[in-house]
Each structure stands twice: as structure tokens, then as C-alpha cells.
Amino acid sequence: MQLFHYHLVTSRVREVEARYIGKLAFSLVARHGRIGEDLTSYEPGISWSELDSMGFKLRLTELEKGAVNVVVQPGQWPTPRVDHLGFVLDEDEFETALERAERSELRVQEHGGRRTFVSTNAGYRLELHPPREWLDELLERERTLRLAELHLRADDPELKSAVLGELLGLPYTADTVAVGETTVRFVPGGPQGRPQLHGELFA
């Protein structure tokens, strides 16, 4: 099992995007949105000023480096908050996680057979993937960069940690969950609902 993706929501999309590209050396995969009623995507090479002149309205920005994929979506919070965490699981882990979600009466949503979301009822969601060819290609880049630690500021670290650990069958403490070689740490003092991004450590 591996944590490969997290989805952030913020009112400062351009600043957050610039941090990942400029400071952390992530690559821009694409900016997805619409012009008028038409859905469209733009790959790197087109500036924000050009997009603004075309009337482009951003839906989300996708960034990657090594085996880490980050999505940034417009929202109401200046400090980014996490909408969901994305995991790749083997077939047995995937089926077992869905069974646990069903027993706990958690909401499960499937999107076109490509993505499965599970509500944790703790302010954030999980995006679960069984083995897939495109994920194998992404995870092969782990030697280039992987996520070692993800720190999230939360109102109830113990609850958020327990929900994640129990749903995925992972070892956890009052504030941390071990996901393979990645540690997810919930830091106290955060907002209710979606946890805030507090820090990242890459290796």
C-alpha cells in the first residue's frame, strides 16, 4: 500500500502552485477548467496571463514529482486544506478496505470505474485504487522522490488517525498512521472538518 496523492483546496491556487513548481521542483502536468461552457485542459507552456485573456476558469491544477501527485483546487481557505488522500492498494487490500467501509456504513462512490472514494466521516475522504498500469508507471519513479511524511493540522488528531488506520488496516497511534514508508501525522490545533496542510517531507 502506498500514499501517492493528495488533493488540496485553497483560495490561493496560483501561490500554492508556484510553491510546488518553484520551491519543490514539481512539474506542472496540466491545468483543467473551462472556457465558457466548454471543458478544456492546458499543459505547461501557457502562462496564467494567457489563460486569463482567454477567459479560462480553473477547476484544478495537477502537479507531479517522482511518485507523488498533488492536485490543487480553488476553494475558500487561504491555508490549503485536504479534501482527500489517494492510495494504491493490492487487490486484497482494496477489497478488504471496501468491506470495512461497508461494515462501518461509510459512503462509497465510484467514478466511472477509474476511482473509488470513501468518506471517513472525519472531515476528509480517501481515494482508493487497486493495481493499475498508469499507477505502476508513477510508482516506479519512487527512486526519484517519494512522500516520507505528511503533516496535517486537525481539530481531533486522534479521531482522524484512528479512522485512517482502522479503515485501511494500518498501524497507527494517537496522531500518526504508517502507510508503507510514509508517515501521516495529524497535528493538533487545526480546523473542524478538512485538515489543513501543515508540512511535507520528501525523500
Side-chain angles (χ1 to χ4, degrees):
M1 186 181 305
Q2 186 164 337
L3 171 58
F4 76 95
H5 163 74
Y6 43 106
H7 186 116
L8 305 174
V9 181
T10 178
S11 60
R12 301 169 59 192
V13 170
R14 298 188 190 191
E15 292 94 328
V16 172
E17 177 194 285
R19 171 182 177 266
Y20 280 98
I21 294 172
K23 185 175 181 180
L24 300 176
F26 273 63
S27 298
L28 175 66
V29 176
R31 298 182 181 114
H32 306 280
R34 65 173 63 242
I35 295 177
E37 298 301 316
D38 298 324
L39 294 174
T40 186
S41 297
Y42 290 94
E43 296 183 355
I46 300 180
S47 68
W48 274 113
S49 60
E50 291 175 284
L51 293 174
D52 290 340
S53 68
M54 291 186 285
F56 176 74
K57 301 299 181 185
L58 181 73
R59 183 174 62 88
L60 56 87
T61 289
E62 184 177 4
L63 307 128
E64 277 185 1
K65 184 178 181 182
V68 183
N69 175 277
V70 177
V71 164
V72 187
Q73 173 186 327
Q76 60 181 306
W77 302 288
T79 301
R81 296 198 190 183
V82 171
D83 176 80
H84 63 265
L85 304 173
F87 301 85
V88 58
L89 304 84
D90 66 29
E91 293 286 357
D92 289 342
E93 290 170 335
F94 181 75
E95 293 300 329
T96 300
L98 294 186
E99 289 170 5
R100 290 193 188 103
E102 184 177 347
R103 287 198 302 269
S104 299
E105 298 183 345
L106 298 176
R107 184 180 183 190
V108 177
Q109 295 174 288
E110 294 188 9
H111 288 257
R114 292 187 64 250
R115 300 187 296 168
T116 300
F117 287 98
V118 178
S119 171
T120 63
N121 291 342
Y124 64 99
R125 300 181 297 160
L126 307 183
E127 180 182 342
L128 306 181
H129 292 270
R132 301 183 192 278
E133 185 175 340
W134 65 269
L135 271 173
D136 290 341
E137 294 173 1
L138 176 70
L139 298 181
E140 283 176 4
R141 306 177 205 161
E142 183 175 352
R143 63 185 179 276
T144 308
L145 179 120
R146 65 174 178 82
L147 182 63
E149 295 189 23
L150 180 64
H151 294 189
L152 305 175
R153 189 177 293 278
D155 62 322
D156 189 342
E158 189 168 354
L159 171 64
K160 287 176 166 55
S161 176
V163 166
L164 179 58
E166 290 174 6
L167 182 58
L168 296 184
L170 297 169
Y172 68 93
T173 69
D175 61 359
T176 64
V177 183
V179 187
E181 297 183 359
T182 301
T183 298
V184 179
R185 184 180 305 277
F186 293 97
V187 180
Q192 290 186 339
R194 291 172 175 167
Q196 287 179 345
L197 179 65
H198 183 64
E200 301 138 303
L201 178 63
F202 301 100

